[in-house]
Amino acid sequence: GIQVEQSPPDLILQEGANSTLRCNFSDSVNNLQWFHQNPWGQLINLFYIPSGTKQNGRLSATTVATERYSLLYISSSQTTDSGVYFCALHVRFGAGTRLTVKP
Amino acid sequence: EAQVTQNPRYLITVTGKKLTVTCSQNMNHEYMSWYRQDPGLGLRQIYYSMNVEVTDKGDVPEGYKVSRKEKRNFPLILESPSPNQTSLYFCASSPLTGTGNTEAFFGQGTRLTVV
């Protein structure tokens, strides 16, 4: 079946730092997405990015479909960025990266 | 506003008492699905539907039923809930294209506790 692997599993940052989260996948991509799960459990759509690069404020994402990976960049992190970040391919979710941003 | 709406958001029930979690989307999406999220196990798909009257099992269908009588609604039914079905549940919808389902939109989640 489809494998989706995320790294790192946990990440602790000081406010203002930058970070890169990685998602490797085993299948051809036509619907890769990044989500942020906030402390209340809600899944927030960040990017729908089967290929190329997108930016939204301090967040950006790049998917290299030919090499089967996607990256999520968070710049100038804030405490409100804390939570779990998931990538998902088709119906398969990765295990997530738990981000903690300290003031 | 385009959205997926789940109800209820929180539910505590007793073992064996039938319950239904509703899901409705207003985006005319063909594809709808249910997930459960458990600590250490991540999000796993329970059932999905590719259109009205078309449903199929996901990875963890045991103990659940679904129906798709209308395009906008996809209720999740627990005929005889058990404590191991205590979980956070998400409904999702997405449009279908020639290459499959595309961007998924998720509901706000339903936190179910079975005692």
Side-chain angles (χ1 to χ4, degrees), chain A residues 9-88:
Chain A
D10 294 280
L11 188 57
I12 300 174
L13 299 175
Q14 209 65 37
E15 199 168 29
N18 303 328
S19 61
T20 301
L21 282 58
R22 186 176 179 105
C23 174
N24 292 334
F25 44 88
S26 64
D27 200 6
S28 57
V29 56
N30 66 347
N31 62 0
L32 188 125
Q33 284 185 258
W34 284 96
F35 297 90
H36 174 216
Q37 188 166 40
N38 63 25
W40 295 272
Q42 293 177 313
L43 280 171
I44 311 298
N45 277 29
L46 295 178
F47 294 102
Y48 171 69
I49 187 163
S51 64
T53 298
K54 290 186 177 179
Q55 179 152 11
N56 185 2
R58 296 180 296 102
L59 273 60
S60 63
T62 295
T63 295
V64 183
T66 53
E67 297 186 27
R68 298 191 176 174
Y69 72 89
S70 183
L71 301 173
L72 178 69
Y73 305 97
I74 304 173
S75 64
S76 303
S77 57
Q78 301 175 355
T79 55
T80 51
D81 294 332
S82 296
V84 183
Y85 290 81
F86 291 102
C87 73

Side-chain angles (χ1 to χ4, degrees), chain B residues 19-23 34-36 46-47 61 63-67 74-79 89-90 112:
Chain B
L19 67 91
T20 299
V21 184
T22 64
C23 174
W34 277 101
Y35 289 82
R36 62 178 289 173
I46 303 170
Y47 267 97
Y64 303 95
K65 285 176 59 176
V66 293
S67 69
F74 191 46
L76 180 70
I77 303 156
L78 284 72
E79 296 260 352
Y89 291 86
F90 288 100
L112 172 66

Side-chain angles (χ1 to χ4, degrees), chain B residues 46-85:
Chain B
I46 303 170
Y47 267 97
Y48 65 94
S49 167
M50 298 182 78
N51 216 324
V52 176
E53 302 292 0
V54 179
T55 63
D56 211 343
K57 297 177 181 178
D59 294 324
V60 288
E62 294 78 21
Y64 303 95
K65 285 176 59 176
V66 293
S67 69
R68 188 92 181 273
K69 293 185 171 59
E70 305 164 283
K71 197 172 187 179
R72 63 184 293 125
N73 295 324
F74 191 46
L76 180 70
I77 303 156
L78 284 72
E79 296 260 352
S80 183
S82 63
N84 65 12
Q85 293 178 297

Side-chain angles (χ1 to χ4, degrees), chain A residues 30-31 33 35 37 39-43 45 48 86 90-93, chain B residues 31 35 37 43 45 59 88 90 99 101-106 108 111:
Chain A
N30 66 347
N31 62 0
Q33 284 185 258
F35 297 90
Q37 188 166 40
W40 295 272
Q42 293 177 313
L43 280 171
N45 277 29
Y48 171 69
F86 291 102
H90 301 296
V91 301
R92 194 73 60 205
F93 276 74
Chain B
Y31 189 96
Y35 289 82
Q37 184 180 20
L43 283 103
Q45 193 182 50
D59 294 324
L88 177 59
F90 288 100
T99 54
N101 55 315
T102 56
E103 183 176 8
F105 296 81
F106 279 76
Q108 293 174 294
R111 218 171 266 283

Side-chain angles (χ1 to χ4, degrees), chain B residues 10-26:
Chain B
Y10 303 91
L11 179 60
I12 301 174
T13 190
V14 296
T15 299
K17 185 177 181 183
K18 180 179 178 179
L19 67 91
T20 299
V21 184
T22 64
C23 174
S24 181
Q25 50 97 3
N26 62 2

